Amino acid sequence: MMLEKIIALSRKSSPWVCHFNSGGCNACDIEVMATLTPRFDVERFGIQLKGSPRHADILVCTGPVTKQIRERLLRVYHQMPTPKYIAAVGSCALSGGVFYDCYNVLGGIDRVLPVDVYVPGCPPRPDAIIAGIVKVLQKMEADALELGDQGRASAAEGGNSRVSH
Amino acid sequence: MAIIDDLFKILVFPGFLFVVNLGLFLEWLDRKIYARLQNRVGPPWYQPWLDILKLLSKEDVIPEGASRFMFTWLPVFYLAVTVTASLCIPVGTYAAIYSFPGDLIVVLFLLTLATIILFLLGWYSGSPFGRVGAVRAVTQFLAYEVPLVAALLTQALLADSWSISLVMARTTVGFPRFVVVHLTALAVALISLQGKLLRVPFDAPEAETEIVAGPFTEYTGRRLAFIRLAERTEMAVGVGLVSDLFLPFPARLGVLGFVISAILVTFVLSVLRASVARFRIEDTTVLAWKYILPFSALGMVLAIIVRG
Amino acid sequence: MSDMEIPVGPQHPALKEPESFRFELEGEIVKSVDIRLGYVHRGIERACQDRTWVQAVYLIERICGICSHSHTTCFCQAVEDIAGLEVPRRARYIRSLIGEMERIHSHLLWLGLAGHEVGFDTLFMYAWRDREVILDALEAISGNRVNYGMNTIGGVRRDLTDRDVEELRSAIRILEERVGYYTDVALEESTFRNRLEGVGKITKQQAIDLGTVGPTARAAGVNVDLRRDDPYAAYDEIPFNVVTAEAGDLLAAAEVRLGEIRESIGIMKYILDNLPDGPIAVKAPRRIPPGEACSRYEAPRGEDIHYVRSSGGDKPERVKVRAPTLANINAVAESMKGVRVADIPIIIAGIDPCFSCTDRMVRLEDRISGRVEVLRWQDLSRRYRR
Amino acid sequence: MLPELIRSLFQKPATVRYPVERVPAPEGLRGKPVCDYSMCIGCRMCSRDCPAAAIEMVDTGERTPRPVFHYDRCAFCGQCADTCPKKAISLTSDYELSAFSKDDLVSLERRRGESAAG
C-alpha cells in the first residue's frame, strides 16, 4: 500500500525522542545528550530531543527503576501518543545492572513497561546508542508496513517484551 | 474558466500549497544553517515535510482539563488565519491573489490575530506550562507589535502608500536619499520579526528548558501538525513581507527574486538565533520599549523629514 | 494572572535527572518552592554491605556517572587508609591526572548545560564538541568514556603508555586554545552575561553558613580547596592555584569553573612532565583489617566525603557518602526565593547538581516507641541548619 | 561569537559519519567480554568478583562449569579479565550490542543448548 509506505517512511525519518532518567547515575544521560552534539549530531536522522512526552515517539529510558520513580515512568509513558516505542539504554535500564539487589530498585525498565530495544553498555558509547535507535527505527518501519497500530499493540503483549506489572 | 484559474491561484500558486511549502523549506533552511553554524551536519532537505506527515499519522490526545472545543478548533483557526494573511503577499512581481490599497494593514491585523490564537491555544490546553507560555506570548506581543508596525509604516511613508505591491515597486525609488531610513527600518523589522516568530532570543513563550514547549506542550498528532504548519506559514508570510517591502530583488527579479530575498532574510534570522542567549520575558519588554521602539520612531521621523 | 503552581520535574527538559520542584508562582515571580528529592535513591550504601571490597569499588563508581573517578578515589583512599596500604607514587600521579581530566570534562559539560538552560544552544554545541577531545583521551587511557574504572584498592588498574602521553599532549594543546576562547568570548557575549550576572547570588557569609563547597563556595569568595588544604593523591607535590571570585553569582561560578579548567590543564602538563616510574598498584588483601577511616576528595562539584568501616571481613561493614551536591543544594533553595521563572533552570543548574550523588534517605527509628519516620528534605534542612 | 559562527559555517562539520562509516574504537576499549573456554579452568573467580552478578557458571558438559556472560547486566568494568588467573577472559572492542530481546544478550545460547562462546 502506498499510504502505508509513506507513513512508514515518515515515522522512521522523523523520530522524536523523549529522555527519561528513571534513577540512573547520569552517565547514560550525558551520553544520550552527547548524541545531540556536533560529533554525533542525530539531527542528521531527523531525531530531535523533545521536552514534552506528548510530542515524543520514542521514550529513551536510562537507569534502573527505583520504587519512587515507577509511577512517574508509567505516567510519562501514558502521556505519549501511540505508536510509541521504548529504548532502554544502559545496563541498569536493562536489568538493574550493578544495582540489581539494591532495596529501592525494582530492576530494569521491562519490569514496568514493554521495551522495544535494549542497548547494553555502562554507559553505552553514543555510537552504540545511535545503533540502538536505528534498531528502533527498523522496528517502527516494519510495524507500520506489516502490522499497523493494532497489530503492533498485540505483538508487544505476546512478543519478546516481557511485561509484569 | 475563471473559477478554475482562481482556485489554482488560491490553492496552488501563489496560494496555499506554495506558501506552506515555502514555509517548510524555510524551516529546513533555518535548521540547516543553524546546524552548520554549530559545526553540525543538520537535517536532510525533506525533514520538515516528513515531520508533518508523521504527526498526521499519530494518535490525537485531548488531555483532561483542556477545553475540548478550543483544543480541537484553535489549531485549524491558527492555520486558516496565517494562510489568509499569505493571500495578500505578492510573490515578487506575481501579483497577490487578493490585493487592494491598504492590504498591508490587513496582513498586520491577521498576524496579530495569529498571536491571539496562540494565547488561546496555550490558555485552554489545561497545562500550567501552556498558561505561563500563553501569558508570555501576549506580553511579548505587546513589546514587538508596535516596532514591527512602525518599521512597516516607515516604508509605507516612504512609498506614500498602504498597498504592499505599491510599496514593493517603490522600494528603490530615490535610492541614495533614503538609504539610512531604509536600513534603520530594515533592522527594526528583522528584530521584531524574530520576536513575532518566537525565535531565540525572543523564544521565552516556548522556552524549552523553562516551560517545556509553552502553549504547545499538550498538543499531539494532527493538531500539532496543524500548529507547526501554521507556524511555518507565519514564518513564510513574515519573511515574505519583509523581503517584499525592504529588499530590491522581488520587484526586479520576480518570483526568483522573492525566493532569493526570503533565503537572505532567513539566513540573517538564523545567524541571529545562533549567536545569542534567550532573553527573560521582562528583559524583552524593557529592550523593546527602551531601545527598539525609540529606534523605530527615529526611523519614522527621518522618513517624514526625508520625504519633506 | 492568578497564582499558579508549576511542576519542574521529575521529567522536565531542564533537568537531566528526575527531581521534583514545585514552584508556586505569582505572575512570573516564584513565591515558594517545594523540593522533593529521592527519585534516584537506590540504596547504594546498604548495597555496599553486600559487596566484597573489590565489587564495592565498581558500585561506588556508579553513584554518579560524571564524577565517577572522584567517588572511587575517595573510597579507595579510605580503604587503603584502613588497610595501611602504601599506594605507589606513579599510581598517585595517574589518579590525579584522571581526576583533573574528569574536572575538565565536568566543567565543560557544565558550561554547555548552562548555555542550554538559557537558550544559548550554540555554546552547548561548541562546549560539548570540545569536551569530546578530553573524552577521547579518557577513553584511550581507561577504555571507557564515562565510568573509567581506573581505581582499584591499592592503586590504579591501567598504566599510561607513551602513546597515551603523546595523545594527551595534543589534546591539551587543543583544549588550551578553546578554553581561552570561551573565557574571552562566551563570557563576553552580552546576552549570555545578562542571564548569569546577579542570578543565584549568595554572599560569602551565606556561602559559609549554608555549608557550600567547591566552585559554588569559591565563586562567593570562600577560599577552600581540598587539593591544597588537605592534599591527597599527588597534590602535595604539584603546584597550582586555587581560583576564586567575589561576586557569588552564576557569572562568577562560570569564571571560577573556566579558571579551574586552565589550572587543571596546568596540573596535567606538570604530571605528564614529572610522571614517576614504578609499579601502578600494590596487592590489596581480600579481607581488610578492622578499622574505620574518613576520606575527603575535591570533586569537580566540591568536597566529597566517604566514611568506611571494616569489621575485618571481605565486605565493608558501613559505607557513608556525603556528596558535594547535598552540601550545595541549600544554596539553591536560598537563592530561589523571589526569582523569576526564567531563572529557575539556570539556578538549579548553577551548582552543577548531581542528584544521583545526593539522593539519600534518612530513616529515624525511635528505639523506645518503635516509631519509624522518613525525613523529607525540608525536615533535614530545618533540623541541621546551622 | 559571530566570527566563530561564520568560520563554522564554512568549516567541515565535526560530525562523524556513523553508522554509515564505523569509527574505529580505541584499542583498549572495554567492550563485550568473551571467554576462551579452552583456557578456562572453571575456577569461578570471575563470577565471584563480578560487581553486577552478570557471570553465571553453566555446565557445558566439560569437567568444570564455564562462565556465561549476561550482557544485559554487565557493567563492562573488566574486573573479570583482571581476576582470571588463566587470562581466559578478554574484553573485545565490540560495543554495538543493542538487541530486540534480552535473550540475545547472553553469551551462550542456552535455549538451544549449544555450547558455543561468543
Side-chain angles (χ1 to χ4, degrees):
Chain A
M1 284 285 285
M2 195 59 201
L3 187 65
E4 278 175 4
K5 269 189 185 156
I6 292 175
I7 290 176
L9 177 72
S10 70
R11 284 197 184 148
K12 107 177 156 162
S13 315
S14 160
W16 291 355
V17 167
C18 180
H19 166 228
F20 188 78
N21 178 340
S22 57
C25 73
N26 265 337
C28 298
D29 309 79
I30 57 177
E31 294 295 69
V32 169
M33 287 294 278
T35 58
L36 299 175
T37 57
R39 167 78 74 92
F40 301 100
D41 186 32
V42 287
E43 208 185 355
R44 284 180 293 160
F45 314 114
I47 300 177
Q48 279 184 304
L49 200 64
K50 291 282 171 183
S52 168
R54 295 258 188 233
H55 300 178
D57 305 306
I58 304 176
L59 185 65
V60 170
C61 287
T62 54
V65 183
T66 61
K67 281 181 183 161
Q68 201 179 353
I69 206 83
R70 181 177 176 275
E71 226 171 282
R72 285 303 183 135
L73 181 61
L74 282 169
R75 200 165 132 187
V76 166
Y77 181 71
H78 290 313
Q79 278 180 343
M80 288 169 65
T82 53
K84 46 192 168 188
Y85 293 79
I86 296 187
V89 169
S91 291
C92 305
L94 266 56
S95 64
V98 287
F99 307 114
Y100 64 97
D101 64 345
C102 289
Y103 61 79
N104 211 34
V105 169
L106 294 171
I109 304 288
D110 55 5
R111 296 286 297 274
V112 182
L113 295 172
V115 174
D116 294 292
V117 166
Y118 299 86
V119 185
C122 192
R125 305 177 80 208
D127 315 43
I129 297 177
I130 294 176
I133 299 284
V134 168
K135 274 214 157 137
V136 181
L137 299 185
Q138 286 167 7
K139 191 164 184 171
M140 268 184 170
E141 192 183 13
D143 285 355
L145 282 179
E146 288 160 23
L147 302 166
D149 290 357
Q150 297 304 315
R152 199 200 95 76
S154 54
E157 277 157 27
N160 53 38
S161 316
R162 286 155 295 179
V163 195
S164 55
H165 281 281
Chain B
M1 292 316 275
I3 296 175
I4 293 180
D5 192 42
D6 281 353
L7 274 180
F8 178 79
K9 272 188 172 171
I10 292 173
L11 292 178
V12 185
F13 183 87
F16 182 72
L17 273 182
F18 171 73
V19 84
V20 164
N21 282 305
L22 178 70
L24 291 174
F25 168 73
L26 291 180
E27 182 202 347
W28 169 75
L29 194 71
D30 173 51
R31 275 167 71 178
K32 185 79 179 176
I33 294 171
Y34 190 55
R36 288 307 305 267
L37 288 172
Q38 293 172 345
N39 211 354
R40 298 185 285 133
V41 170
W45 66 267
Y46 45 79
Q47 195 58 51
W49 284 270
L50 289 179
D51 282 351
I52 297 289
L53 280 177
K54 180 209 68 179
L55 285 174
L56 286 175
S57 73
K58 288 212 68 158
E59 185 194 5
D60 265 343
V61 182
I62 298 183
E64 269 176 51
S67 155
R68 200 181 176 86
F69 176 79
M70 292 294 204
F71 206 78
T72 311
W73 288 106
L74 282 173
V76 181
F77 288 155
Y78 193 15
L79 183 61
V81 163
T82 49
V83 170
T84 312
S86 76
L87 297 184
C88 297
I89 309 286
V91 180
T93 46
Y94 200 95
I97 299 163
Y98 188 52
S99 132
F100 54 95
D103 50 5
L104 183 54
I105 308 263
V106 171
V107 171
L108 282 172
F109 168 73
L110 287 170
L111 289 181
T112 308
L113 201 59
T115 311
I116 305 288
I117 291 178
L118 185 68
F119 166 77
L120 293 173
L121 269 176
W123 192 259
Y124 287 106
S125 70
S127 146
F129 299 121
R131 293 200 161 196
V132 175
V135 172
R136 285 181 172 191
V138 169
T139 316
Q140 181 155 303
F141 153 76
L142 293 174
Y144 276 93
E145 206 62 16
V146 183
L148 184 65
V149 172
L152 300 183
L153 180 63
T154 313
Q155 285 301 96
L157 276 173
L158 286 179
D160 206 13
S161 165
W162 277 111
S163 154
I164 298 175
S165 47
L166 270 177
V167 176
M168 184 179 81
R170 293 178 192 165
T171 311
T172 47
V173 174
F175 173 66
R177 201 148 57 98
F178 295 161
V179 71
V180 177
V181 190
H182 209 79
L183 289 179
T184 319
L186 178 61
V188 172
L190 283 174
I191 291 174
S192 340
L193 184 62
Q194 189 87 334
K196 178 94 208 158
L197 300 174
L198 307 183
R199 292 150 55 85
V200 179
F202 309 116
D203 68 333
E206 47 176 80
E208 200 204 353
T209 48
E210 293 165 28
I211 49 173
V212 190
F216 318 128
T217 309
E218 297 290 335
Y219 286 85
T220 59
R222 219 165 8 209
R223 297 189 181 89
L224 189 61
F226 273 112
I227 292 175
R228 278 177 80 90
L229 276 181
E231 274 190 308
R232 307 308 165 223
T233 313
E234 199 179 350
M235 174 146 182
V237 171
V239 169
L241 197 60
V242 171
S243 319
D244 272 347
L245 296 184
F246 290 91
L247 297 180
F249 311 115
R252 303 285 170 281
L253 301 171
V255 179
L256 182 68
F258 179 80
V259 174
I260 292 174
S261 313
I263 291 173
L264 278 177
V265 172
T266 310
F267 179 77
V268 174
L269 294 183
S270 303
V271 174
L272 184 60
R273 173 158 91 110
S275 55
V276 286
R278 181 190 305 134
F279 285 117
R280 299 183 196 98
I281 189 76
E282 299 86 354
D283 295 347
T284 308
T285 329
V286 171
L287 181 87
W289 290 100
K290 245 186 177 166
Y291 301 102
I292 300 177
L293 197 64
F295 200 59
S296 58
L298 178 79
M300 231 150 61
V301 172
L302 276 177
I304 295 170
I305 294 170
V306 175
R307 286 284 305 168
Chain C
M1 186 168 54
S2 55
D3 292 1
M4 64 165 73
E5 204 179 72
I6 65 165
V8 173
Q11 194 277 327
H12 189 274
L15 300 171
K16 302 305 161 218
E17 292 169 88
E19 292 305 330
S20 180
F21 298 83
R22 297 193 84 82
F23 294 95
E24 215 178 293
L25 301 183
E26 197 177 68
E28 284 270 325
I29 307 289
V30 175
K31 258 169 70 186
S32 69
V33 54
D34 181 15
I35 304 180
R36 186 172 171 195
L37 299 177
Y39 285 99
V40 210
H41 177 76
R42 289 154 294 188
I44 292 177
E45 288 172 7
R46 175 65 186 80
C48 276
Q49 297 169 21
D50 296 333
R51 302 285 198 282
T52 64
W53 292 101
V54 175
Q55 291 171 341
V57 176
Y58 299 106
L59 185 62
I60 292 282
E61 181 162 44
R62 282 155 184 84
I63 288 178
C64 167
I66 304 177
C67 36
S68 56
H69 187 77
S70 310
H71 283 293
T72 51
T73 312
C74 200
F75 177 75
C76 290
Q77 280 171 1
V79 179
E80 284 149 9
D81 197 11
I82 300 172
L85 295 173
E86 183 64 36
V87 180
R89 197 152 162 259
R90 188 174 171 89
R92 288 193 284 125
Y93 267 75
I94 293 177
R95 273 185 186 175
S96 296
L97 179 73
I98 302 288
E100 292 312 314
M101 289 167 78
E102 182 179 81
R103 197 178 312 276
I104 294 172
H105 114 69
S106 176
H107 284 350
L108 278 176
L109 179 135
W110 180 85
L111 184 71
L113 280 184
H116 178 65
E117 304 291 11
V118 299
F120 196 9
D121 271 352
T122 309
L123 180 64
F124 166 67
M125 293 293 177
Y126 283 171
W128 281 54
R129 178 191 67 193
D130 300 327
R131 184 175 154 265
E132 293 290 334
V133 174
I134 199 82
L135 287 184
D136 280 347
L138 277 168
E139 191 178 30
I141 295 171
S142 73
N144 204 345
R145 283 160 55 95
V146 176
N147 286 330
Y148 322 114
M150 281 296 274
N151 278 319
T152 185
I153 296 165
V156 291
R157 289 171 62 202
R158 289 196 183 200
D159 203 358
L160 222 56
T161 62
D162 289 341
R163 218 180 72 198
D164 290 339
V165 174
E166 278 317 302
E167 271 176 24
L168 263 180
R169 282 190 205 279
S170 62
I172 285 174
R173 271 194 295 279
I174 299 171
L175 279 173
E176 243 178 346
E177 189 212 315
R178 295 302 303 177
V179 172
Y181 170 77
Y182 291 128
T183 322
D184 294 343
V185 180
L187 290 184
E188 294 304 315
E189 169 60 44
S190 61
T191 50
F192 187 56
R193 272 185 82 98
N194 176 38
R195 291 301 303 269
L196 298 184
E197 214 162 7
V199 174
K201 196 173 169 66
I202 48 169
T203 61
K204 185 173 180 178
Q205 195 53 47
Q206 273 176 324
I208 296 169
D209 289 348
L210 296 169
T212 56
V213 292
T216 312
R218 287 194 284 273
V222 185
N223 196 336
V224 54
D225 191 323
L226 285 178
R227 291 175 292 172
R228 179 199 61 200
D229 304 337
D230 184 11
Y232 52 88
Y235 288 111
D236 47 351
E237 301 171 17
I238 301 171
F240 69 100
N241 301 315
V242 177
V243 184
T244 57
E246 293 303 319
D249 57 2
L250 293 178
L251 188 66
E255 278 163 10
V256 166
R257 289 198 171 93
L258 280 168
E260 280 183 14
I261 296 179
R262 281 201 302 275
E263 286 301 321
S264 293
I265 290 174
I267 297 175
M268 280 171 70
K269 277 183 178 163
Y270 180 88
I271 291 176
L272 291 182
D273 291 340
N274 299 287
L275 196 63
D277 289 329
I280 55 163
V282 289
K283 183 129 179 58
R286 291 237 156 212
R287 291 173 183 278
I288 302 294
E292 59 180 356
C294 197
S295 155
R296 307 204 285 168
Y297 183 97
E298 183 72 28
R301 285 160 185 72
E303 182 180 347
D304 184 22
I305 304 174
H306 282 223
Y307 165 79
V308 183
R309 191 167 72 219
S310 167
S311 58
D314 62 349
K315 288 172 182 161
E317 189 181 76
R318 179 79 175 98
V319 177
K320 171 75 198 149
V321 179
R322 203 300 309 268
T325 305
L326 190 68
N328 283 335
I329 194 116
N330 260 331
V332 169
E334 186 67 31
S335 52
M336 202 66 96
K337 284 171 193 148
V339 299
R340 286 164 294 190
V341 177
D343 291 331
I344 292 172
I346 184 70
I347 291 179
I348 297 176
I351 59 161
D352 202 357
C354 176
F355 295 113
S356 59
C357 297
T358 306
D359 273 0
R360 303 276 164 269
M361 189 175 77
V362 177
R363 191 162 165 272
L364 295 185
E365 219 178 303
D366 195 327
R367 283 281 169 85
I368 299 157
S369 67
R371 199 166 61 94
V372 177
E373 185 187 0
V374 177
L375 287 190
R376 294 196 312 150
W377 171 251
Q378 275 133 325
D379 308 329
L380 254 185
S381 69
R382 201 171 52 236
R383 279 183 204 219
Y384 303 107
R385 195 76 174 272
R386 264 176 286 172
Chain D
M1 214 62 204
L2 207 57
E4 172 82 8
L5 283 170
I6 300 301
R7 203 169 343 126
S8 299
L9 186 62
F10 296 106
Q11 218 175 22
K12 204 169 154 289
T15 312
V16 293
R17 288 185 32 79
Y18 189 87
V20 182
E21 271 168 36
R22 202 167 172 279
V23 184
E27 257 170 50
L29 185 83
R30 297 204 310 267
K32 180 178 173 179
V34 290
C35 179
D36 184 347
Y37 281 0
S38 62
M39 284 157 78
C40 176
I41 52 169
C43 67
R44 294 173 186 270
M45 287 290 280
C46 50
S47 165
R48 219 181 88 192
D49 269 355
C50 180
I55 302 176
E56 189 187 351
M57 298 306 287
V58 170
D59 186 5
T60 55
E62 283 165 76
R63 271 194 307 144
T64 48
R66 292 287 181 263
V68 166
F69 299 98
H70 290 261
Y71 299 121
D72 59 338
R73 186 175 274 183
C74 178
F76 301 92
C77 62
Q79 182 62 41
C80 44
D82 284 8
T83 303
C84 184
K86 291 287 168 191
K87 298 281 163 257
I89 299 177
S90 57
L91 294 184
T92 59
S93 60
D94 187 7
Y95 59 86
E96 294 150 305
L97 305 174
S98 51
F100 290 121
S101 161
K102 270 196 192 175
D103 294 336
D104 299 336
L105 293 172
V106 182
S107 67
L108 192 80
E109 297 246 351
R110 276 180 304 169
R111 277 170 303 171
R112 271 171 272 152
E114 294 166 10
S115 59

